[in-house]
Amino acid sequence: MTTTTAATTTDTGVSWYVNDAVGPLPDGDFAPLDRAPMRRHATLPGYRPTELHDLPELAARLGVAQLLVKDESVRMDLPSFKILGASWASMHAVAGWLGVDPATLDLPTARTALAGRGVALVAATDGNHGRGVARMARLLGASATILVPEGTATARIEAIASEGARVEVVEGTYDDAIAASAALAGQASLVVSDTSWPGYASVPRAVVEGYSTMFHEIDDAVTAHGYRPPSLVVLQAGVGAFAAAGLRHYRGSAVTVRAAEIRTAVVEPTSAGCLMASARAGRLTEVPGPHRSTMAGLNCGLPSELVWPLVRAGTDVFVAIDDAWTDTAMRALAAVGVVAGESGAAGLGALLAAADQPALAAAVGLDANASVLVVNTEGATDPENYAAVLARG
């Protein structure tokens, strides 16, 4: 084992960094933490709150008082939470193109306004975000071009294409696909990205705001079922948009005084730990590819410039895990009836790693009194690998 004052790496497939830059979250020009996205989501076809599971068997395995798992394996007939951000951001992009206030634009009005005008939505993706954008394009009567990095599972490509989108495979990494999508922006080509770059922030900001619906649903379920509120929130990260949404909800200045009592951990694949690398360096840092983790939705080499200040200020501990921990978590969740894909199981994978590492358990606050929240962000989006992982167990 090698150790520094704040960073630890072991030979057990897990490393972590205790963040010394935790502080008040910057505003970042985000909209207030209200339920406006949730009200709009409620008008979309198939919307309903997803399940929040209380899993005592896994809580006992982790040695904690309560383990809550928000299950996003089916969200509006899609196998991921990503439609929440993709839908809110797509409507913002369309509203900007039409020159209207996004708050006044609903789906039927937008579809009518776009009819016959040749508008296309464009996105780069490792799978789930792109499928969400493709679904929104279909609902809006627009076309969609979705760019994926080489090595993307065939099942994920076919799922995007099933929404009527044109899928292009880009040579290189997810970050190369992002660059290629940005180059496609045009008069009637609206890029809907969950990451930002200089001069492009309003749509990625809307992605983060769209994810807020999930956390409001969690609050409602905790109250309705009488669960203990979370004392530890574990959030997986690619570019950081989803993590930023969770951190805004649980650590933002608008929430109650309990925010100071909630521990937060952000989880990445070992091979694509760009947020941890940035935290260690104290600045945005790129982790070069190839990024070969099976956690495809987290295979990102560069954090989103927009959300990095939020993630840096709101994260207590950054954790990076190898695929073996995710595989173990997928099997553990399957054993209690929860279908989790590779990225979806990452949060639990980090907890299982922490339960095996006393120093990491202490850093994140994993103890007998802890009430822990993780999010299963996707179902089995690569069925072939999912079956293989379960078979190995």
Side-chain angles (χ1 to χ4, degrees), residues 208-308:
V208 175
E209 294 165 357
Y211 294 156
S212 67
T213 291
M214 181 197 314
F215 298 102
H216 288 304
E217 290 177 359
I218 292 170
D219 288 346
D220 293 345
V222 165
T223 299
H225 295 287
Y227 298 144
R228 293 177 54 178
S231 63
L232 168 61
V233 177
V234 183
L235 303 159
Q236 48 269 70
V239 298
F242 166 69
L247 294 169
R248 286 187 77 223
H249 190 85
Y250 290 106
R251 298 292 285 270
S253 60
V255 299
T256 68
V257 71
R258 283 201 69 253
E261 304 170 4
I262 298 174
R263 298 288 290 173
T264 58
V266 165
V267 183
E268 303 170 278
T270 299
S271 60
C274 60
L275 291 168
M276 183 189 291
S278 297
R280 285 176 168 173
R283 63 184 183 278
L284 278 179
T285 300
E286 184 170 8
V287 174
H291 309 121
R292 299 302 190 194
S293 170
T294 59
M295 294 172 268
L298 310 182
N299 277 337
C300 306
L302 183 67
S304 170
E305 181 180 28
L306 171 71
V307 304
W308 166 239

Side-chain angles (χ1 to χ4, degrees), residues 10 12 14 61-62 325 350-361 366:
T10 76
T12 59
V14 58
R61 180 170 174 176
L62 294 171
W325 286 112
L351 291 172
L352 292 170
D356 197 47
Q357 302 282 337
L360 176 55
L366 197 68

Side-chain angles (χ1 to χ4, degrees), residues 281-351:
R283 63 184 183 278
L284 278 179
T285 300
E286 184 170 8
V287 174
H291 309 121
R292 299 302 190 194
S293 170
T294 59
M295 294 172 268
L298 310 182
N299 277 337
C300 306
L302 183 67
S304 170
E305 181 180 28
L306 171 71
V307 304
W308 166 239
L310 290 171
V311 176
R312 188 183 188 200
T315 304
D316 289 311
V317 184
F318 293 89
V319 183
I321 58 173
D322 289 352
D323 290 348
W325 286 112
T326 301
D327 291 353
T328 301
M330 290 165 69
R331 291 189 288 267
L333 287 165
V336 294
V338 178
V339 177
E342 299 81 3
S343 298
L348 180 61
L351 291 172

Side-chain angles (χ1 to χ4, degrees), residues 10-322:
T10 76
D11 59 3
T12 59
V14 58
S15 59
W16 64 93
Y17 178 78
V18 179
N19 185 20
D20 60 2
V22 176
L25 266 61
D27 177 75
D29 293 327
F30 285 92
L33 279 168
D34 62 21
R35 298 198 176 207
M38 191 178 194
R39 290 190 291 272
R40 183 62 70 207
H41 287 140
T43 68
L44 296 179
Y47 171 79
R48 65 176 180 82
T50 55
E51 293 293 328
L52 181 67
H53 301 295
D54 178 17
L55 300 178
E57 305 95 327
L58 290 180
R61 180 170 174 176
L62 294 171
V64 299
Q66 178 180 263
L67 175 66
L68 300 177
V69 176
K70 179 66 165 170
D71 188 2
E72 296 291 314
S73 58
V74 180
R75 167 70 76 172
M76 289 188 251
D77 196 36
L78 295 175
S80 164
F81 78 103
K82 290 281 191 173
I83 186 63
L84 294 175
S87 59
W88 188 245
S90 294
M91 294 297 284
H92 271 66
V94 168
W97 189 78
L98 293 173
V100 301
D101 182 350
T104 68
L105 190 64
D106 59 21
L107 190 61
T109 303
R111 184 180 179 93
T112 299
L114 295 180
R117 301 180 71 173
V119 169
L121 302 187
V122 177
T125 188
D126 282 314
N128 294 327
H129 173 72
R131 188 172 181 186
V133 172
R135 170 64 61 86
M136 282 303 297
R138 181 157 65 85
L139 291 174
L140 289 164
S143 62
T145 298
I146 308 298
L147 287 71
V148 302
E150 61 182 342
T152 300
T154 300
R156 294 188 176 109
I157 293 174
E158 291 175 346
I160 297 168
S162 73
E163 304 291 340
R166 181 164 63 94
V167 183
E168 297 182 6
V169 178
V170 175
E171 183 177 347
T173 66
Y174 168 79
D175 303 283
D176 295 314
I178 285 289
S181 71
L184 293 179
Q187 185 175 3
S189 295
L190 311 182
V191 178
V192 183
S193 176
D194 60 357
T195 193
S196 63
W197 50 84
Y200 179 80
S202 63
V203 170
R205 189 178 290 114
V207 170
V208 175
E209 294 165 357
Y211 294 156
S212 67
T213 291
M214 181 197 314
F215 298 102
H216 288 304
E217 290 177 359
I218 292 170
D219 288 346
D220 293 345
V222 165
T223 299
H225 295 287
Y227 298 144
R228 293 177 54 178
S231 63
L232 168 61
V233 177
V234 183
L235 303 159
Q236 48 269 70
V239 298
F242 166 69
L247 294 169
R248 286 187 77 223
H249 190 85
Y250 290 106
R251 298 292 285 270
S253 60
V255 299
T256 68
V257 71
R258 283 201 69 253
E261 304 170 4
I262 298 174
R263 298 288 290 173
T264 58
V266 165
V267 183
E268 303 170 278
T270 299
S271 60
C274 60
L275 291 168
M276 183 189 291
S278 297
R280 285 176 168 173
R283 63 184 183 278
L284 278 179
T285 300
E286 184 170 8
V287 174
H291 309 121
R292 299 302 190 194
S293 170
T294 59
M295 294 172 268
L298 310 182
N299 277 337
C300 306
L302 183 67
S304 170
E305 181 180 28
L306 171 71
V307 304
W308 166 239
L310 290 171
V311 176
R312 188 183 188 200
T315 304
D316 289 311
V317 184
F318 293 89
V319 183
I321 58 173
D322 289 352

